[in-house]
Amino acid sequence: MKQDIIIVGGGLNGPALAVALAKSGFGVTVVDPRPPLARGQRGFDGRAYSLAIASRRLLGAIGVWEGLDTQPILKIKASDGRAGQGAAPFFLTFDHAEIEEGPMGFMVEDRFLYTALHDAMEAAGVTRVTGTVVAQGGGVTLSSGERLEAALVVGCDGRGSGTAQRAGIRRVGWGYGQTALVTAVEHERPHEGVAHQLFLPSGPLAILPLPGNRSSIVWSETDANATAIQALDDDGYLAALRPRFGDFLGDIRLAGTRFTYPLSLSLADRFVAARVALVGDAAHGVHPLAGQGLNLGLRDVAALAEVLVDARRRGEDIGALSVLDRYQQWRRFDSTAMALGMDGMNRLFSNDNPILRLGRDLGLGAVNAWPALRRGFIRQAAGLSGELPALLQGRMP
Ligand SMILES: Cc1cc2nc3c(=O)[nH]c(=O)nc-3n(C[C@H](O)[C@H](O)[C@H](O)COP(=O)(O)OP(=O)(O)OC[C@H]3O[C@@H](n4cnc5c(N)ncnc54)[C@H](O)[C@@H]3O)c2cc1C
């Protein structure tokens, strides 16, 4: 079978790219070992994403936004704190009223986003192949021996990207010695669309609003603490969470599966090679501290789709390195800067050093008191800064 483009990986970025490219007239195949609906048909497993305004526009442009059950994020509050002592007095607050684009972002559950993307792939005529890619060159070879040919192979195969390895692309990165405990809770009082980022000495705790009186929890702890907490029964787990969470939403109880995720930084040293491009976590796996991982991936999707559509218009070979280099130039600086920014923030906040603690509290207070700087942060987090490809402006390239 010969296609224009083969996408390795049917997680979230792979399907989003497939729909954008198929709607632009390319022949696209997506390969993933998991049967398409296994992930979407599960009940709520606690996984949810915060999507920036720019990501929402992209999903709207490719026809995936309509009908998605989402929770707008109206305010973000960040503060420094210690378990049992509540938040430090300096709060950094970002309010959607400070920008004209509306809510600063949206929370969406993984099962809904995944299913919507896979439905859109089917509607756009994307070919879906269940299999594992084991070799590449002029296309890909699956573990079954089946061979698929294409002008371009895009690796959307996550942090351990085999596509990158097979293309000789190396990765740099390090572990944080931290593990994220991920779940969802139900609470007595409404969250009113407020997302909280509480910086605790052993790692940040994000409390992110979901539809109804529910919030998603991404709770980073040292590896040893996380292992001990995950081993507790549900009552013990909640007893450990409550002093960190505080009582501002009333009593809490578990409303999702509990799972853990080891945290690391992983950056590909190139995003492209001849006839190969990397997108999403395959190119850059970042700390989930600011909920930017998927948003960065969707920015890759928008930039690569635009570069490929332009190349075809000009009659260029879409797999040529000179074409793919344009994608790399567009995306590499932004994602590396974001990854290192998250890394620095995590290091600055994940400790109990009294001098750093005073410094960061003053820093949070200073940013809070400086409206122009605050608006700059909001626009950056919303994905509205820099040169925006068409999809991030809400239109097809
Ligand atoms: C705790 C946590 C919270 C997060 N919260 C947020 C958030 O709020 N907002 C946000 O923007 N981001 C968030 N992220 C980041 C986000 O989850 C990831 O950036 C995103 O899921 C990456 O998607 P992907 O499609 O690039 O990769 P993946 O989801 O890793 O998908 C890779 C796919 O490739 C397939 N694959 C692998 N190898 C092969 C092969 N050889 N052949 C064929 N297929 C293959 C796999 O089966 C898989 O389906 C969070 C991450 C974590 C860990």
Side-chain angles (χ1 to χ4, degrees):
M1 180 167 54
K2 170 103 185 169
Q3 281 283 34
D4 296 319
I5 298 156
I6 290 169
I7 295 176
V8 186
L12 297 172
N13 287 308
L17 179 66
V19 176
L21 293 173
K23 286 193 166 213
S24 304
F26 288 104
V28 186
T29 294
V30 172
V31 187
D32 197 289
R34 286 187 286 194
L37 290 178
R39 182 159 152 185
Q41 275 172 349
R42 274 200 305 250
F44 179 47
D45 66 358
R47 261 187 307 173
Y49 307 102
S50 62
L51 291 174
I53 295 172
S55 302
R56 178 221 178 285
R57 289 182 180 163
L58 177 146
L59 294 173
I62 64 172
V64 169
W65 188 255
E66 246 348 86
L68 261 188
D69 191 12
T70 60
Q71 166 65 47
I73 300 175
L74 304 176
K75 225 180 233 187
I76 301 174
K77 286 186 171 184
S79 59
D80 204 359
R82 269 197 203 128
Q85 290 185 7
F90 283 119
F91 263 102
L92 178 57
T93 307
F94 298 118
D95 195 313
H96 77 292
E98 294 181 66
I99 52 169
E100 60 271 20
E101 283 84 358
M104 282 139 70
F106 296 82
M107 287 300 297
V108 58
E109 292 173 24
D110 177 79
R111 58 177 170 160
F112 295 144
L113 182 58
Y114 179 85
T115 306
L117 283 165
H118 279 262
D119 288 349
M121 278 210 298
E122 204 176 327
V126 174
T127 307
R128 173 90 171 55
V129 173
T130 302
T132 302
V133 172
V134 291
Q136 73 204 35
V140 297
T141 308
L142 309 186
S143 55
S144 62
E146 189 184 351
R147 184 153 169 76
L148 310 171
E149 290 181 4
L152 173 65
V153 173
V154 184
C156 294
D157 44 353
R159 285 163 175 253
S161 174
T163 308
Q165 277 167 29
R166 289 184 288 270
I169 298 176
R170 286 193 307 252
R171 308 186 79 80
V172 291
W174 44 85
Y176 288 110
Q178 286 174 326
T179 296
L181 294 145
V182 182
T183 190
V185 294
E186 254 180 85
H187 32 78
E188 281 175 328
R189 289 203 276 277
H191 47 57
E192 285 164 352
V194 182
H196 295 265
Q197 182 75 263
L198 189 58
F199 292 102
L200 300 167
S202 49
L205 168 67
I207 304 169
L208 306 160
L210 293 173
N213 278 7
R214 294 179 308 144
S215 292
S216 160
I217 301 291
V218 181
W219 171 16
S220 307
E221 282 286 343
T222 58
D223 290 335
N225 280 358
T227 306
I229 293 167
Q230 185 67 2
L232 297 169
D233 62 12
D234 286 356
D235 287 342
Y237 186 92
L238 278 170
L241 177 58
R242 277 193 189 101
R244 293 163 167 88
F245 193 102
D247 56 6
F248 67 103
L249 292 176
D251 194 27
I252 53 171
R253 60 190 184 87
L254 287 175
T257 315
R258 294 159 38 182
F259 65 97
T260 59
Y261 197 94
L263 299 178
S264 63
L265 174 82
S266 167
L267 285 173
D269 71 358
R270 285 177 290 139
F271 288 7
V272 300
R275 307 217 165 272
V276 172
L278 303 178
V279 160
D281 279 20
H284 41 70
V286 303
H287 196 291
L289 169 63
Q292 287 296 339
L294 178 59
N295 291 300
L296 279 178
L298 293 175
R299 286 196 232 171
D300 297 346
V301 165
L304 183 59
E306 187 146 321
V307 165
L308 296 178
V309 167
D310 277 352
R312 191 187 46 189
R313 260 187 217 127
R314 295 184 201 166
E316 292 171 308
D317 171 2
I318 57 167
L321 203 48
S322 56
V323 169
L324 300 176
D325 263 339
R326 284 181 224 144
Y327 160 67
Q328 169 160 272
Q329 273 173 20
W330 204 342
R331 292 298 307 141
R332 198 151 160 251
F333 178 75
D334 174 50
S335 26
T336 307
M338 178 69 85
L340 296 178
M342 295 302 99
D343 184 77
M345 224 149 99
N346 184 49
R347 281 170 204 277
L348 177 63
F349 281 93
S350 296
N351 64 72
D352 214 7
N353 177 317
I355 296 173
L356 285 180
R357 203 175 149 90
L358 176 67
R360 68 202 184 213
D361 287 351
L362 290 173
L364 286 181
V367 176
N368 211 27
W370 194 347
L373 188 59
R374 223 173 40 235
R375 268 196 301 280
F377 273 120
I378 296 177
R379 298 193 71 78
Q380 176 74 33
L384 298 173
S385 50
E387 189 194 345
L388 293 185
L391 279 167
L392 299 185
Q393 299 174 40
R395 47 188 184 81
M396 292 299 290

